[in-house]
Amino acid sequence: MSKFNWRSFLFWTLIAALLLYMTLPAIVVIMASFNPGEVLSFPPNGLSVRWYIKAVTYPDFQIAFKNGIIVAALASTLALVFGSAVALLVSRYYFTGRGLLETILSAPLIVPHFTTGFGFLLLGAHLGITQTYLIIVMAHVVLVLPFVTRAVYVSLQNIDPNLERAAANLGASPIKSLWRVTLPLMLPGMAGGWLVATILSFTEFSASLYVTASRTQTLPVAMYNYIREYTDPTIAAISALLIVITTLIMIVANRFLGLRKILAIESH
Amino acid sequence: MSIVLNKEMQAVEFVKVTKSFGPMLAVNAVSLSIRRGEFLTVLGPSGCGKSTLLNMIAGFQTQDSGEIRIEGKDVSSMPPYKRDTGMVFQNYALFPHMNVRDNVAFGLQMRKHPKHDIDTEVAKALAMVKLEGMEARKARQLSGGQQQRVALARAIAFGPKVLLLDEPLSALDKSLRSQMQVELKELHERTGLTTIFVTHDQGEALSLSDRIVVMSKGEIQQVSKPLDLYRHPANGFVASFIGEINAFPVADCIVANDHVRFAFGENITLRAPRRDGQPLKTGDKVNLFVRPEHIAVAGQPDNGDPRVTGRIVTHIYQGTHTITRVTVPALGLVELRVEGGDIIERRPVGSDVDLAIMLDNAVIIRS
């Protein structure tokens, strides 16, 4: 019989406590969403899916969900194009202003989201595009670009430089080498960056609050507007749905793309 | 299109090529001609500039001054992809997202060969490296030795003007390495490709090459056939880099009619017959280099070789032979090579021993 291992027990208790702490808000929201009563409360005093039905049939949420999908798809795809180009430039070429470009790209991590949103609101008012998807997409591109660029940059740095030399040695012009060797090897990074950008854009709130109008509001903004007027668990149900969908996407992405690689937790 | 090539034409030429990286002079005014069909090895310790030479032929690096010609044409301003050189990288650099067939076909595809031609050429190249039928495998499903072969097949499939090998055997284990050495040699004989092989392994260099270029600190020390390099090293660096050799301290020459004496300090003088073509005169200071196989434990009947007495420091038993280290006053530590393990049983460490030093084959370099 093996002796009780205190060290291992402590280690796993600590890990479990940390995991619980990290997921606690999500757990509370998911539990509250099954509450049968009219008022948001925790812990729940029953089990019901009525608020889920309300959440998916509520017209404002339906429109906002559609808006969110359109904005997220456009913003993350645009960010992917710009981000990949910039990552290629920064990782493969030396030019004056390279450092400046890197700084500008990480600026959204320093500038608060609501400042970005406010800035685009003023800009949008000046250009007369405040009621359009365009202004939201523009704001979201700025917000998600650093993440896409970073993901693509990391995957580029992980490519053995000898592969591109080998391509050139075998007769591939720079364009051909990019198309046949670099791009295929960048794809997992691009896919991962695009996915992260989509999720970030879809769930972005503080900048979106400024740049969306009632017709163009995205899901987090619609949820905020809902909770200002109603106190029933619908908001918990829609939150729970968001959590589940995002989790599923991440699991699938990890399975097929190797998220660990994209997030640079491991190399090669 | 066919061009009548001059048989005397050099495959690759360096004319006073210099390259530095910041303050570090990597290649210093190197001039070198590589003949068509030759297997030439560039040998030297790491950082001697040998890889820079190779990278400049491939076009990955550009020289600061001087000219590089491939088949007589100055390629100094030609990008790598137009140079028609086939390179095998140290880490093979196989394209991981392609199978073996697509890796080997790459160079042919870039040259827009028709598809059925490509298939034939790929099969031919794979047969050349004994990898028939492996077309569909992914690079990462292959062993190190197989990856090596695919890299070779990829580099020769499109018919390069010169094959460049950048320490391609260094990542393989010992038995595989000697097998690949044999195959490289066979491949060279079958294809007749001009081959430039870069290595720091003198054994590889001696066994594979038509000629060896020894480099140190960015400069060529000697260009010779393997046998000449071993027997007649041009200087102290080459002497100590190729094979094992004892470097004796500086000696004074005393030249007589039929012999030369080398004096080490007051007490030790070694005598050697005079050689033709060795312009030594009395008063010259020289360095003597003697290989371990040219020093023996002195036998009873004196055969005329100069003798010294020393004390045994250690025996290093190596199976076929034993390397014994002996300290000799005024000469320092001397290594000798004795077949088998006889000397260990007969002469314990710490005992005195008489050594016969055969100077006929000694390398004598004026200091």
Side-chain angles (χ1 to χ4, degrees):
Chain A
M1 212 181 90
S2 65
K3 241 172 67 179
F4 184 74
N5 190 336
W6 275 103
R7 274 221 237 173
S8 142
F9 174 75
L10 268 175
F11 175 77
W12 289 112
T13 311
L14 206 68
I15 295 289
L18 195 66
L19 276 177
L20 183 70
Y21 174 70
M22 298 277 291
T23 48
L24 202 56
I27 292 167
V28 169
V29 168
I30 290 168
M31 284 172 75
S33 69
F34 291 106
N35 211 325
E38 293 281 340
V39 180
L40 262 174
S41 67
F42 182 84
N45 49 17
L47 193 66
S48 159
V49 292
R50 64 183 281 212
W51 304 114
Y52 281 86
I53 292 161
K54 169 99 189 276
V56 296
T57 53
Y58 186 65
D60 273 15
F61 284 170
Q62 288 178 335
I63 294 164
F65 183 81
K66 193 194 78 188
N67 289 340
I69 294 285
I70 291 168
V71 168
L74 285 172
S76 56
T77 305
L78 282 173
L80 179 69
V81 174
F82 297 146
S84 302
V86 170
L88 257 177
L89 279 177
V90 172
S91 83
R92 291 295 186 270
Y93 300 94
Y94 294 90
F95 53 92
T96 35
R98 183 167 169 258
L100 185 69
L101 189 61
E102 276 183 291
T103 314
I104 291 172
L105 275 167
S106 55
L109 301 174
I110 302 158
V111 179
H113 280 201
F114 60 83
T115 310
T116 305
F118 184 52
F120 272 102
L121 176 64
L122 293 176
L123 190 69
H126 177 71
L127 298 172
I129 52 169
T130 44
Q131 304 279 316
T132 63
Y133 286 133
L134 178 63
I135 193 74
I136 318 173
V137 171
M138 281 166 73
H140 279 203
V141 166
V142 169
L143 297 176
V144 300
L145 193 56
F147 296 94
V148 184
T149 310
R150 178 85 199 144
V152 178
Y153 180 77
V154 167
S155 74
L156 274 170
Q157 292 303 95
N158 278 337
I159 297 176
D160 174 7
N162 272 350
L163 293 176
E164 282 156 0
R165 287 173 146 203
N169 180 251
L170 293 166
S173 64
I175 298 282
K176 279 237 174 84
S177 165
L178 179 70
W179 183 249
R180 290 287 311 271
V181 175
T182 315
L183 217 56
L185 295 173
M186 279 165 73
L187 274 182
M190 289 172 71
W194 183 83
L195 198 72
V196 170
T198 307
I199 292 169
L200 285 174
S201 164
F202 193 73
T203 56
E204 206 287 327
F205 171 63
S206 36
S208 306
L209 189 59
Y210 287 93
V211 289
T212 53
S214 59
R215 281 189 307 110
T216 60
Q217 66 183 353
T218 53
L219 196 54
V221 178
M223 286 162 68
Y224 170 73
N225 287 334
Y226 187 90
I227 207 169
R228 282 204 308 182
E229 288 180 46
Y230 310 101
T231 52
D232 64 49
T234 309
I235 199 74
I238 192 89
S239 303
L241 282 175
L242 265 182
I243 293 167
V244 170
I245 291 167
T246 313
T247 309
L248 284 178
I249 291 173
M250 292 309 259
I251 288 170
V252 171
N254 194 23
R255 179 76 183 74
F256 291 104
L257 296 171
L259 215 53
R260 296 162 64 81
K261 226 180 227 178
I262 291 155
L263 300 176
I265 298 166
E266 67 182 2
S267 64
H268 294 288
Chain B
M1 186 175 69
S2 94
I3 303 166
V4 181
L5 290 168
N6 178 356
K7 275 201 175 145
E8 294 303 307
M9 193 197 272
Q10 306 294 343
V12 180
E13 285 164 284
F14 286 86
V15 185
K16 288 187 185 147
V17 171
T18 295
K19 171 77 183 174
S20 49
F21 298 104
M24 218 242 336
L25 196 57
V27 170
N28 189 8
V30 162
S31 292
L32 176 68
S33 290
I34 296 131
R35 296 192 271 269
R36 290 172 63 80
E38 183 173 31
F39 195 117
L40 181 109
T41 298
V42 184
L43 175 68
S46 56
C48 72
K50 57 189 193 297
S51 290
T52 308
L53 275 191
L54 210 62
N55 285 331
M56 287 193 293
I57 301 173
F60 302 141
Q61 274 150 9
T62 311
Q63 70 272 25
D64 302 334
S65 64
E67 204 170 277
I68 296 172
R69 301 191 197 120
I70 298 177
E71 294 194 339
K73 198 175 166 206
D74 180 17
V75 295
S76 303
S77 56
M78 193 186 269
Y81 66 95
K82 287 186 178 162
R83 290 196 184 193
D84 283 333
T85 63
M87 181 128 165
V88 175
F89 294 84
Q90 199 170 356
N91 64 352
Y92 317 136
L94 297 180
F95 303 126
H97 56 297
M98 295 180 197
N99 59 23
V100 168
R101 189 256 172 203
D102 290 344
N103 264 285
V104 178
F106 196 90
L108 295 155
Q109 289 169 346
M110 291 303 119
R111 285 165 183 77
K112 300 203 165 62
H113 286 242
K115 196 187 165 296
H116 61 273
D117 271 13
I118 292 181
D119 288 334
T120 321
E121 292 301 317
V122 168
K124 227 194 263 176
L126 284 178
M128 205 77 96
V129 297
K130 299 177 184 158
L131 276 183
E132 296 98 332
M134 298 286 249
E135 281 89 345
R137 298 275 193 94
K138 283 266 182 184
R140 62 172 161 274
Q141 296 172 315
L142 302 174
S143 69
Q146 289 171 327
Q147 291 187 28
Q148 162 89 81
R149 288 155 197 262
V150 175
L152 259 173
R154 182 176 72 173
I156 60 172
F158 64 92
K161 289 176 180 152
V162 53
L163 180 62
L164 307 173
L165 308 172
D166 186 9
E167 307 220 13
L169 305 181
S170 61
L172 302 175
D173 63 50
K174 198 164 177 273
S175 63
L176 203 52
R177 205 181 322 161
S178 32
Q179 190 193 332
M180 282 309 294
Q181 277 183 31
V182 175
E183 290 191 20
L184 268 182
K185 190 145 184 117
E186 286 174 4
L187 186 76
H188 175 249
E189 278 158 15
R190 276 201 305 272
T191 59
L193 266 173
T194 308
T195 304
I196 304 177
F197 180 76
V198 159
T199 184
H200 62 267
D201 184 319
Q202 38 121 344
E204 270 172 27
L206 290 173
S207 64
L208 287 172
S209 324
D210 295 325
R211 281 194 305 160
I212 298 174
V213 177
V214 182
M215 283 191 74
S216 168
K217 294 178 182 153
E219 287 173 13
I220 291 182
Q221 304 296 319
Q222 187 170 2
V223 185
S224 281
K225 291 179 178 162
L227 209 64
D228 292 338
L229 201 64
Y230 190 78
R231 286 189 186 160
H232 309 298
N235 57 39
F237 175 82
V238 178
S240 353
F241 196 74
I242 309 292
E244 301 298 319
I245 204 156
N246 291 292
F248 289 165
V250 178
D252 294 308
C253 285
I254 303 132
V255 181
N257 277 341
D258 61 337
H259 69 270
V260 187
R261 276 174 292 154
F262 302 97
F264 300 87
E266 298 283 304
N267 300 320
I268 292 195
T269 301
L270 301 180
R271 196 183 136 130
R274 252 185 102 166
R275 288 185 222 166
D276 295 334
Q278 185 143 54
L280 287 176
K281 42 184 206 299
T282 303
D284 280 351
K285 301 221 177 269
V286 295
N287 281 96
L288 251 63
F289 297 87
V290 181
R291 302 227 177 253
E293 60 265 35
H294 297 142
I295 300 178
V297 176
Q300 263 319 305
D302 193 336
N303 57 7
D305 285 319
R307 290 174 169 227
V308 292
T309 305
R311 180 161 292 167
I312 294 175
V313 177
T314 181
H315 296 294
I316 303 158
Y317 180 58
Q318 311 236 296
T320 56
H321 63 273
T322 300
I323 297 289
T324 294
R325 293 204 175 123
V326 180
T327 48
V328 179
L331 290 185
L333 202 61
V334 171
E335 276 190 2
L336 63 145
R337 181 184 159 123
V338 177
E339 298 309 307
D342 289 2
I343 194 169
I344 298 177
E345 282 150 33
R346 292 212 306 250
R347 312 264 180 167
V349 168
S351 60
D352 286 343
V353 64
D354 286 342
L355 301 178
I357 298 176
M358 290 159 255
L359 286 181
D360 310 32
N361 293 305
V363 177
I364 300 161
I365 290 158
R366 257 207 215 102
S367 55

